[in-house]
Amino acid sequence: MKAVRIQKFGGPEVLRLEQVEPPRPSPGEVLVRVQAAGVNPVDAKIREGEFPLIGQSQLPIVLGRDVCGAVEAINGSATNLRVGDTIFALLDWHLGGYAEYARVATALCCPKPSTLDAQHAAAVPLAALTAWQGIFTHGKLKAGQTVLIHGGAGGVGHFAIQLAKHFGAHVIATASKANIAFVTSLGAHTVFDYQKSNFEDIGKEVDVVFDLVGGETRKHSWNVLKPAGILVSTVGMPDEKTANSLGVRCAGYMAEPNREQLDKIAGLIESGKVVVTVSKSFGLKQAAESHRALENDHPRGKLVLSI
């Protein structure tokens, strides 16, 4: 089969389309003919050698964490799953989705929402689960509370805004001037242009800060948290000493596959409560180009590979 692998760490140029043996599903796994795969910031981190779970000894590897495709074979029993079913899923770390076939744990396979094509379905698992787990699992966001979402126009951010709004939170977001209307359309009540406006002007009104940016943005975010509020980050563990000194909390995390949560997200998509934005689709042989776009263009929503 064709697959995009890296033989060494580096820039987008290390992404190579190669002929490799198709994977064989282990017991408790299915073989999926991949129709589309999501392109995520973590893919670029892995490619650059900056992701702690993937080291030199594990190369070469196929990149890609989330896929949509048709089940080709099932190894073992699988309740409510048949050959030919179209599924989408977040893969385990050691499996890759930038390929014509992928192994997927049977327990993680979720039926593709009927309202989505393969490209939009592949854009969902990692970004939407990252959003869900950040604001609900770690942030414990509840109806009536206020959440500040940094990077609201991106893959994770555009899901986080919609999920928080749907469950009754007051949503504040940051975005570039070009994306203010887009982020507002997703349900954000207030949007700050991060290049010109000072989000700290809202005062200590925020229950949950969802940090998808880090750096100076995180540094200034402490100042808007209510007492006992929490700063949740996907870009490294926030400083616990700072949190303790201010009487607030913090959490850093990486998203984990979760079929139950993905099913709930799929239901919201089916009902039209959550929309999926794909700004561009690339062919498998354009994987390097997709990474350049990811790093340089700051796309709205998600990028995907159509396979």
Side-chain angles (χ1 to χ4, degrees):
M1 70 171 184
K2 294 178 182 178
V4 175
R5 299 199 301 179
I6 59 171
Q7 300 279 352
K8 61 181 180 180
F9 296 125
E13 70 279 357
V14 303
L15 294 167
R16 298 295 180 88
L17 183 62
E18 300 176 346
Q19 289 284 346
V20 301
E21 287 295 317
R24 294 183 179 182
S26 300
E29 293 181 339
V30 300
L31 180 67
V32 171
R33 177 185 284 274
V34 181
Q35 297 169 353
V39 178
N40 296 287
V42 70
D43 301 338
K45 289 185 178 180
I46 293 172
R47 189 203 74 222
E48 293 172 342
E50 295 182 357
F51 189 71
L53 297 183
I54 305 294
Q56 185 70 41
S57 63
Q58 293 159 281
L59 301 185
I61 60 166
V62 178
L63 295 183
R65 289 294 314 280
D66 39 16
V67 298
C68 177
V71 175
E72 289 270 317
I74 302 171
N75 191 338
S77 61
T79 305
N80 298 325
L81 191 63
R82 300 178 180 178
V83 170
D85 288 348
T86 303
I87 62 93
F88 71 144
L90 176 59
L91 305 181
D92 288 327
W93 286 108
H94 63 287
L95 306 176
Y98 291 12
E100 292 180 316
Y101 292 92
R103 293 160 48 203
V104 184
T106 304
L108 299 180
C109 292
C110 185
K112 179 185 75 67
S114 61
T115 54
L116 298 183
D117 59 21
Q119 288 73 33
H120 284 76
V124 174
L126 181 54
L129 285 171
T130 300
W132 183 286
Q133 292 169 17
I135 59 179
F136 299 129
T137 305
H138 297 282
K140 308 294 184 186
L141 184 69
K142 297 179 176 61
Q145 291 188 324
T146 297
V147 59
L148 170 60
I149 299 169
H150 289 305
V156 176
H158 95 288
F159 283 120
I161 290 170
Q162 295 178 83
L163 291 171
K165 174 70 179 300
H166 174 74
F167 286 102
H170 181 81
V171 182
I172 303 170
T174 60
S176 67
K177 180 180 179 180
N179 286 322
I180 289 177
F182 170 65
V183 171
T184 301
S185 74
L186 297 173
H189 298 91
T190 304
V191 185
F192 286 89
D193 177 355
Y194 71 84
Q195 295 169 318
K196 293 184 178 180
S197 303
N198 186 357
F199 66 84
E200 291 177 272
D201 291 343
I202 61 180
K204 294 185 179 296
E205 298 294 330
V206 176
D207 297 282
V208 180
V209 170
F210 190 34
D211 171 34
L212 305 170
V213 178
E216 287 296 308
T217 299
R218 177 193 291 175
K219 180 180 177 180
H220 292 286
S221 293
W222 298 110
N223 298 325
V224 303
L225 282 169
K226 293 179 179 179
I230 185 169
L231 190 156
V232 181
S233 181
T234 63
V235 286
M237 182 67 190
D239 184 56
E240 292 182 333
K241 289 184 179 179
T242 299
N244 292 335
S245 70
L246 296 171
V248 298
R249 297 166 295 139
C250 63
Y253 75 105
M254 292 186 292
E256 299 179 354
N258 188 302
R259 164 66 189 272
E260 181 180 357
Q261 292 171 352
L262 191 56
D263 268 331
K264 291 178 180 178
I265 293 166
L268 293 174
I269 292 170
E270 290 267 15
S271 65
K273 299 298 194 323
V274 170
V275 298
V276 184
T277 298
V278 172
S279 59
K280 191 169 183 180
S281 177
F282 298 82
L284 193 59
K285 66 181 180 181
Q286 297 172 303
E289 184 180 341
S290 76
H291 276 226
R292 293 186 185 98
L294 180 71
E295 296 175 321
N296 299 323
D297 298 345
H298 303 290
R300 290 180 182 179
K302 290 292 298 292
L303 301 175
V304 298
L305 298 180
S306 183
I307 301 171

